[in-house]
C-alpha cells in the first residue's frame, strides 16, 4: 500500500486542476450576474486560464529538470494555492482573471508536467498503466464533482467557497510531499531558455487570442476590430503573428541545439511517431471536451433556464461514465492496443455527438439527453485511459519532464482552442441564423428588420430571451413585432448550438485520421 501513497497525492492534484474549469462552466450565469458582465467576458476568462497553462506548459516542464520534479511540483502547488485564494475573494472581474486565469494557470503549468513525469518515474510496467488509468480517472472525478459541487455551492451558497476549499487541499498536499519518491529527483545544472520560453508563450497566446476574438472582430470583414490592415479584420493578422512567432521559436530551438546549448524542448522528440500521435490526440480530445463543456452549459442555463446545480445534475452522466471508462481502460489495455481503444473511443464519441444533436430542442427531454451524455463520457474515458501512458512510454527517463510539458501543452492548448473555436462558431452561427430568421419572417417590418440588423452587425451575444425582450422594449419596438424577433432569436439559438456541436463531431471524425501512428501493439505491462 505504501508505494501507492504517491499516487494519492498526484491524483488529488490532478483532480484540482480539472475541478476549476468544471466549476466555472456551470457557474457562467452566476458569474455574469456577480461581476455585472456578459457571457463573452466569462468565455474570455475561461479561455485565458487554459491559454496561460498552454503558453507556459513547456517552460513548466523544463523547470522540472532545473529544480527537480518533486520540488517543481511543490512550487507549482504553492503558486496555485495563492491564485485560488485571490480568486475566492475577487471583488471585480479583472481580479478574478488575475487570480484564476493567470496565477492559477501558471501554477498548473508547473504542476502538470511534473505530475506526468513523477507518475512515470514512480511506477513501471503494469503499475504505470494502472497509475495513468487512475490519473485519467481523477480527471473524470473532477469533471463529475465539478458540476455537482460547483452547481450546488453556486446555487445555495457561493462559488467562492470552492476556491477557498482548494487552498485547504493545497496545504494538505504540500504537507504530504514526502510520500513522493522517484528517481533523479535532484535538479540538474540546466539553464532555462528564456528567449524560447517567451517566443513559445507569446506565439501560442496570439493564435488562441485571434480565434477567441474572431466572433467579435470578424474573420475577414471588420466589425469591432481594434485595428484593420488593408481593410481586413485584425483576426487573421493576430493568428498569423502567432504562427510567425512559433516558427521563430522552432528556428531558435534548432539554433541552440546546433550550438550545443540546451533547448527549451528537444524538437527531435516530435519525430517519435507514437509520441507525436499521442500529442495530436490529446489536443483533439481537449478541443472536443472543452468546446462541448462550454456550449452545453449555455444550452442548459441560457436556453432551458436551469440553475447551476440543475446544470450539474444533467452533466453527471458524462462524468460518471468517463470515470468508469478511464479506470477500466487499464484493464482493457491487457487485451487491446492503444490504437484500437482510442479508435473505439472516437467512434463512441461520434455516435454520442450525433445523438446529442437530436436532443437540442426548445424543451429538453431529460432521458435521451442523459443517455447521450453518458455515451459521450464513455468515449472520452477510453481516450483518457490510454493517451498519457502512450506519451510517457514513448520516451526514456531523461525526457520525462519534456514529454510531460508537451503532453500538457497539447491538452491545455486544445482546451483554450476548444473554448475559443467552438465558442466563436456558436456566436457566428447564432448571428447568421438570426439574420436569416429575421429576413424570412414577413410579419417583421422593414424598420424593425433594419434596426435588428444594425444590432447584430455590432455584435450578437448568447443571452436569455428575456434579456432580448427587455432590450427590444427599451428600444421602443412594438410588442407584437418584438415577440416575433424574440421567437426568431430563440430559434437561432438552437441552430447555433447545433452548428457548434456538429463542429465538435467533425473534429472527432477528423481525429480518426491521426490514430494511425498510435501503438498497434499492447504496451508492456511486465
Amino acid at each position: 500500500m505504501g508505494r501507492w501513497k504517491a499516487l494519492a497525492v498526484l491524483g488529488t492534484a490532478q483532480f484540482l486542476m480539472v475541478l476549476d474549469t468544471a466549476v466555472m462552466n456551470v457557474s457562467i450565469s452566476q458569474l455574469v450576474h456577480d461581476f455585472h458582465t456578459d457571457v463573452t467576458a466569462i468565455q474570455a476568462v475561461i479561455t485565458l486560464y487554459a491559454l496561460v497553462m498552454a503558453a507556459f506548459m513547456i517552460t513548466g516542464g523544463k523547470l522540472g529538470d532545473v529544480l527537480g520534479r518533486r520540488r517543481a511540483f511543490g512550487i507549482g502547488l504553492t503558486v496555485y494555492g495563492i491564485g485560488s485564494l485571490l480568486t475566492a475573494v475577487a471583488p471585480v472581474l479583472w481580479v478574478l482573471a488575475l487570480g484564476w486565469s493567470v496565477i492559477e494557470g501558471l501554477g498548473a503549468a508547473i504542476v502538470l508536467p511534473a505530475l506526468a513525469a513523477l507518475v512515470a518515474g514512480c511506477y513501471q510496467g503494469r503499475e504505470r498503466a494502472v497509475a495513468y488509468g487512475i490519473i485519467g480517472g481523477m480527471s473524470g472525478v473532477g469533471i463529475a464533482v465539478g458540476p455537482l459541487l460547483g452547481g450546488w455551492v453556486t446555487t445555495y451558497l457561493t462559488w467562492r467557497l470552492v476556491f477557498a476549499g482548494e487552498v485547504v487541499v493545497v496545504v494538505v498536499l504540500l504537507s504530504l510531499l514526502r510520500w513522493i519518491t522517484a528517481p533523479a529527483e535532484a535538479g540538474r545544472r540546466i539553464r532555462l531558455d528564456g528567449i524560447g520560453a517567451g517566443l513559445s508563450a507569446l506565439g501560442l497566446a496570439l493564435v488562441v487570442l485571434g480565434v477567441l476574438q474572431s466572433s467579435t472582430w470578424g474573420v475577414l470583414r471588420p466589425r469591432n476590430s481594434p485595428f484593420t490592415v488593408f481593410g481586413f479584420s485584425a483576426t487573421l493578422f493576430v493568428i498569423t503573428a502567432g504562427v510567425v512567432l512559433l516558427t521563430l521559436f522552432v528556428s531558435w530551438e534548432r539554433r541552440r541545439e546546433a550550438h550545443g546549448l540546451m533547448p527549451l524542448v528537444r524538437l527531435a522528440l516530435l519525430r517519435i511517431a507514437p509520441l507525436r500521435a499521442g500529442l495530436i490526440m490529446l489536443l483533439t480530445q481537449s478541443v472536443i471536451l472543452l468546446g462541448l463543456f462550454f456550449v452545453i452549459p449555455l444550452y442548459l442555463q441560457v436556453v432551458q433556464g436551469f440553475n447551476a446545480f440543475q446544470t450539474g445534475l444533467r452533466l453527471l452522466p458524462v462524468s460518471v461514465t468517463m470515470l468508469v471508462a478511464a479506470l477500466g481502460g487499464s484493464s482493457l489495455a491487457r487485451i487491446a492496443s492503444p490504437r484500437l481503444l482510442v479508435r473505439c473511443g472516437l467512434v463512441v464519441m461520434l455516435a454520442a455527438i450525433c445523438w446529442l444533436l437530436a436532443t437540442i430542442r426548445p424543451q429538453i427531454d431529460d432521458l435521451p439527453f442523459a443517455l447521450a451524455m453518458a455515451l459521450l463520457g464513455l468515449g472520452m474515458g477510453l481516450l483518457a485511459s490510454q493517451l498519457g501512458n502512450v506519451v510517457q512510454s514513448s520516451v526514456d527517463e531523461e525526457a520525462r519532464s519534456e514529454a510531460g510539458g508537451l503532453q500538457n501543452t497539447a491538452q491545455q492548448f486544445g482546451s483554450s482552442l476548444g473554448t475559443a473555436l467552438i465558442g466563436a462558431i456558436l456566436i457566428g452561427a447564432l448571428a447568421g441564423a438570426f439574420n436569416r430568421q429575421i429576413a424570412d419572417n414577413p410579419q417583421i417590418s422593414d424598420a424593425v428588420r433594419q434596426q435588428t440588423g444594425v444590432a447584430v452587425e455590432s455584435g450578437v451575444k448568447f443571452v436569455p430571451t428575456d434579456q432580448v425582450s427587455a432590450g427590444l422594449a427599451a428600444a421602443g419596438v412594438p410588442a407584437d413585432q418584438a415577440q416575433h424577433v424574440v421567437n426568431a432569436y430563440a430559434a437561432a439559438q438552437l441552430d447555433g448550438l447545433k452548428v457548434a456541436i456538429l463542429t465538435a463531431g467533425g473534429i472527432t471524425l477528423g481525429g480518426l485520421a491521426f490514430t494511425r501512428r498510435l501503438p498497434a501493439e499492447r504496451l508492456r505491462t511486465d
Side-chain angles (χ1 to χ4, degrees):
M1 181 65 185
R3 65 184 295 99
W4 296 104
K5 286 182 178 180
L7 194 60
V9 176
L10 298 170
T12 303
Q14 179 70 46
F15 167 79
L16 282 183
M17 302 299 113
V18 176
L19 179 68
D20 275 4
T21 303
V23 170
M24 284 294 187
N25 278 330
V26 298
S27 303
I28 289 174
S29 295
Q30 190 60 47
L31 290 166
V32 168
H33 177 269
D34 288 354
F35 292 102
H36 309 290
T37 186
D38 55 37
V39 169
T40 303
I42 301 302
Q43 178 194 8
V45 171
I46 292 172
T47 300
L48 181 60
Y49 174 66
L51 173 58
V52 169
M53 283 195 282
F56 292 96
M57 200 68 71
I58 294 175
T59 305
K62 184 59 69 175
L63 284 175
D65 291 332
V66 174
L67 303 172
R69 293 164 188 168
R70 187 171 68 173
R71 183 181 298 175
F73 181 74
I75 291 172
L77 280 177
T78 302
V79 174
Y80 191 87
I82 293 170
S84 295
L85 181 60
L86 185 58
T87 302
V89 301
V92 292
L93 186 64
W94 73 265
V95 178
L96 176 75
L98 175 64
W100 187 60
S101 303
V102 178
I103 299 179
E104 283 195 52
L106 288 171
I110 302 171
V111 167
L112 288 170
L115 188 155
L118 285 168
V119 171
C122 289
Y123 305 99
Q124 302 294 325
R126 169 66 180 159
E127 287 186 348
R128 181 185 294 169
V130 172
Y132 273 112
I134 292 174
I135 291 295
M138 292 307 292
S139 294
V141 171
I143 294 172
V145 173
L148 282 177
L149 176 63
W152 188 86
V153 172
T154 298
T155 301
Y156 300 109
L157 298 169
T158 170
W159 54 269
R160 298 177 187 274
L161 287 178
V162 175
F163 294 93
E166 286 189 343
V167 177
V168 176
V169 175
V170 165
V171 171
V172 173
L173 291 178
L174 289 172
S175 70
L176 299 177
L177 284 181
R178 64 184 183 278
W179 286 1
I180 301 175
T181 58
E185 276 298 301
R188 290 176 280 165
R189 289 186 174 276
I190 298 173
R191 291 187 63 184
L192 188 64
D193 176 13
I195 293 178
L199 288 172
S200 65
L202 188 56
L204 288 167
L206 287 175
V207 169
V208 177
L209 176 64
V211 176
L212 171 64
Q213 293 300 110
S214 61
S215 60
T216 302
W217 295 348
V219 178
L220 291 175
R221 183 182 175 188
R223 286 204 296 266
N224 295 314
S225 181
F227 63 89
T228 60
V229 180
F230 303 119
F232 293 103
S233 167
T235 298
L236 289 182
F237 294 94
V238 170
I239 294 174
T240 301
V243 172
V244 169
L245 286 173
L246 291 175
T247 303
L248 290 174
F249 165 70
V250 171
S251 299
W252 175 257
E253 296 301 287
R254 285 175 176 162
R255 179 182 176 184
R256 285 183 64 89
E257 286 189 279
H259 287 78
L261 300 174
M262 178 62 71
L264 188 68
V265 60
R266 285 176 289 173
L267 299 175
L269 291 176
L270 297 177
R271 291 197 288 268
I272 302 173
L275 173 64
R276 189 171 62 249
L279 294 175
I280 292 172
M281 292 313 305
L282 282 167
L283 186 147
T284 301
Q285 179 192 24
S286 296
V287 168
I288 299 164
L289 182 60
L290 270 295
L292 289 176
F293 264 68
F294 179 77
V295 168
I296 292 172
L298 286 180
Y299 168 62
L300 296 174
Q301 293 184 335
V302 176
V303 176
Q304 299 297 331
F306 296 136
N307 62 33
F309 182 59
Q310 292 168 325
T311 299
L313 285 175
R314 284 166 176 81
L315 294 177
L316 182 60
V318 68
S319 311
V320 171
T321 53
M322 182 174 178
L323 172 60
V324 171
L327 292 176
S330 59
S331 297
L332 291 174
R334 302 174 68 177
I335 59 174
S337 69
R339 182 194 295 176
L340 177 60
L341 291 174
V342 169
R343 284 177 172 174
C344 288
L346 289 171
V347 170
V348 170
M349 286 166 55
L350 187 59
I353 288 171
C354 292
W355 193 351
L356 186 61
L357 278 170
T359 69
I360 304 300
R361 301 173 178 174
Q363 295 296 322
I364 190 171
D365 191 338
D366 281 329
L367 181 58
F369 181 82
L371 292 174
M373 295 298 283
L375 192 63
L376 179 66
L378 186 62
M380 285 289 181
L382 285 174
L383 267 65
S385 70
Q386 302 301 311
L387 296 177
N389 196 22
V390 166
V391 169
Q392 288 291 329
S393 296
S394 301
V395 299
D396 56 22
E397 175 62 31
E398 186 181 354
R400 298 279 186 223
S401 292
E402 287 176 276
L406 290 170
Q407 173 182 336
N408 287 287
T409 296
Q411 287 180 296
Q412 300 310 323
F413 183 61
S415 297
S416 57
L417 195 60
T419 305
L421 177 63
I422 303 299
I425 288 172
L426 169 64
I427 297 300
L430 169 65
F434 189 35
N435 280 329
R436 288 193 298 274
Q437 292 280 345
I438 295 294
D440 295 342
N441 192 331
Q443 294 177 305
I444 297 176
S445 67
D446 290 339
V448 171
R449 186 177 292 116
Q450 183 178 6
Q451 188 176 358
T452 304
V454 171
V456 171
E457 185 67 22
S458 65
V460 66
K461 294 181 173 61
F462 201 96
V463 297
T465 52
D466 290 347
Q467 190 171 328
V468 175
S469 182
L472 292 168
V477 177
D480 59 332
Q481 292 279 303
Q483 188 56 53
H484 290 303
V485 174
V486 169
N487 292 341
Y489 182 80
Q493 281 183 319
L494 297 179
D495 289 344
L497 287 164
K498 289 178 179 179
V499 170
I501 293 171
L502 187 61
T503 300
I507 295 170
T508 305
L509 183 61
L512 285 167
F514 295 99
T515 60
R516 189 167 59 91
R517 295 293 185 179
L518 290 172
E521 304 294 332
R522 288 173 291 165
L523 297 179
R524 275 183 46 188
T525 57
D526 52 308

